[in-house]
Amino acid sequence: MQPISAEDPTWIGPYRLLGRLGEGGMGRVYLARSEGGRTVAVKLVLRQLAQDGEFRQRFAQEVAAARRVGGRWTAPVLDADTGAAMPWVATGYIPGPSLSEVVGKDHGPLPGTSVRALASGLSQALEAIHSVGLVHRDLKPSNVLVTVDGPRVIDFGIARALDAHSSAGDVRTRTGAVVGSPGFMAPEQVRGESITTASDVFCLGAVLAYAATGRMPFGSAESGIHSLMYRIVQEEPDLEGVPQRLTGLVRACLIKDPEGRPSVAELIEATRDAEPAGAWLPGALLAQLGRRAARLLDAEAPAAAHGPGGRPQQQPHLGQPYAPTVFQTPPPTPQPQPQSHPYPHHVPAQHLSPPYMPPQQMAPRGNGTGSGARVALIVLGIVIGLPVVAIVLLALIGLLVGEEEKSGGDVREPAGAVPDAYVGAWEGVMRAGTDGEFQGRFDIVQGEKGRTVATVTYTLPHAYCQDRAPLVSAAEEKIVLGGGSRARSVPAGTKSCAKASQNQVLKAQPDGTLLWETMGASTTLKPAETSDLAVHPKFIGTWDLPAEPAVNGLRLTIEQGAIGDEVATAIGAGSLKECRWKAVLSGAHSDRLVLGPLTSAKKACPVRGSMVITPAGEGKLYVKRADRPAGAGQEELNRREP
């Protein structure tokens, strides 16, 4: 945040300005506070745009529509005056850095689990925006704010209301200015064609690729804007470095044809299991968010914002500091402020962002260091009227940066937390006991000692087993998982799933793999190649296995789905023709599928073994069934034509 300068107003409507947050193509954005103490972001439209009658009308329509956008993933529009000499709009202030700051400056690319959570939150934000007839049109990293409980989408300033009285195909905010930001525009935006909700989906794909790699998927504008736009329209995106589990989803968003992209509803469904909750970000980044919130608590209005006796002065550009808003709700007349006002008048403007004060130094003596600090911060937050999310952030500071304070300011992971190198999805062929080989998978999330941090899935010949595992200990060289609880089994209640091991050791290897060890068994786990649209198109369809002998005949239909979903159905032949089975997806790669055992609701239909399916040329697949005798060869599946 930059200090208020001589050319800036000190008040906009009923909001006293604290500093300048940034400047864009439409205007400047300021940090401000209302008389009630609420912290807001106020966007003041550029003077040249304020003189454009058509722009004013469209801006008023968009503000009215944006006020209807609710939900958890956007910054709410609180107030506006579209009829003022210089129109403005105020939104709730989100105390977090932009995604462009996080990735491009402070932290670097995010781990795969964080990017999936980002995809979930942003998809839900787009759903809220689209539900009121808006298209954002400029979704980019600088318009995504990162907070402790998920991302927030901001800046509806150039979104265009889609109603019967407007030209939905108009892609220009003003004459000669195409809406959008180079590198994060859809092909149809570049070509000046109609903009739809699918355009926001393309932008979302570009944002996710940037979050995962730190690069724009179509390159930068260093070689020229026209070259960049050509690549967006004509060339495939560079997705090197995007985790395999995310590649399918990101690539689908970046399809050139708007009709070929997934809908926002499909994206929400595909990332439902990744919705941001708890520690969705690396520990060091969470600690940084806490420090930023602490600085916000200390932000003061510049001394120039007050006259003698504490009375607000007039604004240099906008006339009286108070005026009825466009919603005809004039604020109360300002009163002289007592000297005990929580915003000291003597603080100079350049002290808008004072150094961070550790919570322990703020704790009342005799109350205990950690709890006293959190109580003091929460009380202070209530006094000055910060949003609830800021209070939550501050309450977490004592937990997230305790180690930092002891080390003289270095940012470190919370004690006992899962290191970033282990976070993600991992797969491998496990070998243990008399069960022989089976498919194993570990989905590991960020978390601390004693918390459930892993979902462990393994597919036996006649059972699909899924356990939850807590973190016993964590260090850079290894983490240890303990025995947890059974999350799921197929068939339900089967006794084939063994009790979870009490001591599973995972060691990070130099080549990017993990070494898994438990009870004398070990294997190498590689990063999972699955995405949320996990099943490769070559496997999708209906297949026959084989026609003769009839008793073994099987018609297998494979559909799209994620790991753990029921993606396959099978119908028997011969003596089992009345049987219908289902199978869950337990492993997915470009060169094979692993399906859990085929199970049926009918007791007369036996469980059929799990399957490993591989390509066998045009119109054919090979299947190896785990319930077949040792040494039995592969069987052939033939595609059934419609």
Side-chain angles (χ1 to χ4, degrees):
M1 184 172 64
Q2 299 175 346
I4 297 294
S5 67
E7 63 182 30
D8 294 312
T10 54
W11 290 81
I12 297 178
Y15 303 101
R16 179 172 51 192
L17 305 189
L18 304 177
R20 187 194 300 177
L21 294 173
E23 185 169 0
M26 272 191 59
R28 287 181 176 174
V29 183
Y30 299 93
L31 181 68
R33 282 207 182 104
S34 69
E35 275 298 291
R38 181 162 189 171
T39 307
V40 301
V42 182
K43 171 171 278 192
L44 183 65
V45 169
L46 292 174
R47 188 177 300 277
Q48 59 266 35
L49 290 178
Q51 297 171 353
D52 185 335
E54 181 183 353
F55 173 84
R56 277 180 171 274
Q57 181 180 7
R58 185 160 58 244
F59 181 64
Q61 293 172 347
E62 294 172 2
V63 166
R67 282 178 62 86
R68 303 198 306 272
V69 177
R72 173 182 167 189
W73 309 107
T74 59
V77 175
L78 305 174
D79 199 357
D81 190 348
T82 58
M86 294 176 64
W88 56 268
V89 58
T91 65
Y93 177 68
I94 308 299
S98 69
L99 182 64
S100 57
E101 290 180 75
V102 169
V103 175
K105 178 182 176 183
D106 298 335
H107 182 274
L110 297 177
T113 51
S114 296
V115 179
R116 288 197 73 240
L118 181 70
S120 175
L122 295 184
S123 298
Q124 294 181 63
L126 289 179
E127 180 185 49
I129 294 168
H130 296 167
S131 69
V132 299
L134 288 175
V135 177
H136 192 289
R137 307 163 77 89
D138 197 27
L139 186 66
K140 58 185 178 181
S142 60
N143 279 339
V144 175
L145 300 184
V146 178
T147 77
V148 70
D149 56 349
R152 299 291 186 275
V153 173
I154 62 170
D155 201 348
F156 304 111
I158 59 175
R160 177 65 189 267
L162 299 178
D163 56 43
H165 305 291
S166 67
S167 173
D170 182 7
V171 299
R172 298 173 187 271
T173 296
R174 61 185 188 275
T175 303
V178 176
V179 172
S181 299
F184 297 96
M185 296 173 66
E188 58 270 25
Q189 284 178 286
V190 173
R191 292 191 295 260
E193 298 172 352
S194 297
I195 304 301
T196 67
T197 56
S199 305
D200 282 347
V201 170
F202 189 95
C203 298
L204 172 61
V207 168
L208 296 178
Y210 173 80
T213 66
R215 307 185 316 275
M216 292 185 289
F218 297 98
S220 68
E222 293 180 357
S223 58
I225 295 295
H226 294 294
S227 296
L228 172 58
M229 291 185 171
Y230 174 83
R231 293 193 294 271
I232 291 173
V233 174
Q234 298 293 339
E235 297 184 0
E236 291 301 308
D238 175 12
L239 300 184
E240 183 178 355
V242 175
Q244 288 290 338
R245 194 181 183 194
L246 286 164
T247 302
L249 184 145
V250 174
R251 192 178 297 280
C253 291
L254 295 176
I255 290 174
K256 307 295 184 186
D257 182 2
E259 295 296 325
R261 298 169 200 155
S263 67
V264 169
E266 289 172 330
L267 293 175
I268 292 174
E269 185 61 32
T271 58
R272 190 172 298 281
D273 64 319
E275 184 171 317
W280 74 284
L281 294 168
L285 186 50
L286 287 174
Q288 181 190 23
L289 296 181
R291 292 197 304 278
R292 288 178 66 104
R295 295 190 186 101
L296 175 63
L297 280 175
D298 291 331
E300 305 293 347
H306 304 277
R311 185 180 299 275
Q313 292 182 331
Q314 293 186 353
Q315 303 174 73
H317 299 318
L318 301 181
Q320 295 297 325
Y322 289 122
T325 70
V326 70
F327 306 106
Q328 303 303 314
T329 53
T333 303
Q335 300 295 325
Q337 303 294 323
Q339 292 301 316
S340 60
H341 196 287
Y343 315 118
H345 303 155
H346 63 276
V347 178
Q350 61 266 32
H351 289 173
L352 289 174
S353 299
Y356 167 64
M357 178 180 292
Q360 281 79 348
Q361 297 178 19
M362 301 175 66
R365 297 192 182 194
N367 291 343
T369 303
S371 60
R374 289 190 288 274
V375 170
L377 288 166
I378 292 173
V379 171
L380 182 56
I382 294 173
V383 169
I384 69 171
L386 276 178
V388 174
V389 67
I391 298 173
V392 173
L393 279 171
L394 293 165
L396 291 172
I397 290 177
L399 298 174
L400 296 177
V401 299
E403 288 301 311
E404 175 197 2
E405 293 156 6
K406 296 176 184 178
S407 63
D410 292 336
V411 177
R412 297 185 180 179
E413 295 283 346
V418 176
D420 288 347
Y422 296 87
V423 174
W426 308 84
E427 291 181 327
V429 177
M430 323 291 278
R431 298 175 180 83
T434 59
D435 290 320
E437 296 183 353
F438 56 91
Q439 179 78 19
R441 178 184 174 97
F442 287 73
D443 288 275
I444 303 175
V445 299
Q446 183 60 258
E448 298 182 22
K449 182 179 178 180
R451 299 296 183 91
T452 297
V453 298
T455 300
V456 184
T457 304
Y458 50 101
T459 306
L460 303 176
H462 294 91
Y464 172 88
C465 314
Q466 192 175 85
D467 297 330
R468 303 183 187 94
L471 181 66
V472 174
S473 64
E476 292 297 330
E477 63 274 12
K478 71 177 181 180
I479 65 172
V480 179
L481 304 177
S485 58
R486 177 64 33 80
R488 182 186 179 193
S489 64
V490 180
T494 180
K495 295 182 180 180
S496 297
C497 297
K499 186 177 180 180
S501 171
Q502 298 294 317
N503 186 56
Q504 300 188 72
V505 179
L506 295 169
K507 299 179 180 179
Q509 303 299 298
D511 61 356
T513 62
L514 297 183
L515 178 63
W516 169 77
E517 298 176 327
T518 185
M519 301 174 63
S522 66
T523 196
T524 297
L525 300 175
K526 297 180 179 180
E529 296 181 10
T530 53
S531 68
D532 297 293
L533 302 176
V535 180
H536 193 282
K538 71 179 74 172
F539 297 106
I540 294 176
T542 299
W543 310 82
D544 286 330
L545 167 70
E548 296 293 340
V551 70
N552 289 324
L554 194 71
R555 180 165 297 164
L556 184 69
T557 300
I558 303 174
E559 300 176 338
Q560 186 59 264
I563 296 295
D565 290 349
E566 289 182 341
V567 300
T569 57
I571 300 175
S575 61
L576 297 177
K577 66 181 180 180
E578 300 299 324
C579 289
R580 182 180 294 269
W581 294 274
K582 293 184 178 181
V584 298
L585 180 66
S586 50
H589 308 258
S590 60
D591 61 348
R592 72 183 186 279
L593 286 185
V594 181
L595 300 179
L598 299 179
T599 59
S600 175
K602 292 185 178 182
K603 293 183 179 179
C605 300
V607 175
R608 302 191 67 161
S610 56
M611 300 178 172
V612 177
I613 300 174
T614 56
E618 186 67 28
K620 296 181 182 295
L621 297 175
Y622 286 131
V623 57
K624 184 175 182 180
R625 291 161 46 188
D627 59 347
R628 303 288 287 173
Q634 300 180 114
E635 298 173 272
E636 193 173 273
L637 288 168
N638 299 299
R639 183 184 292 276
R640 182 178 178 82
E641 298 301 329

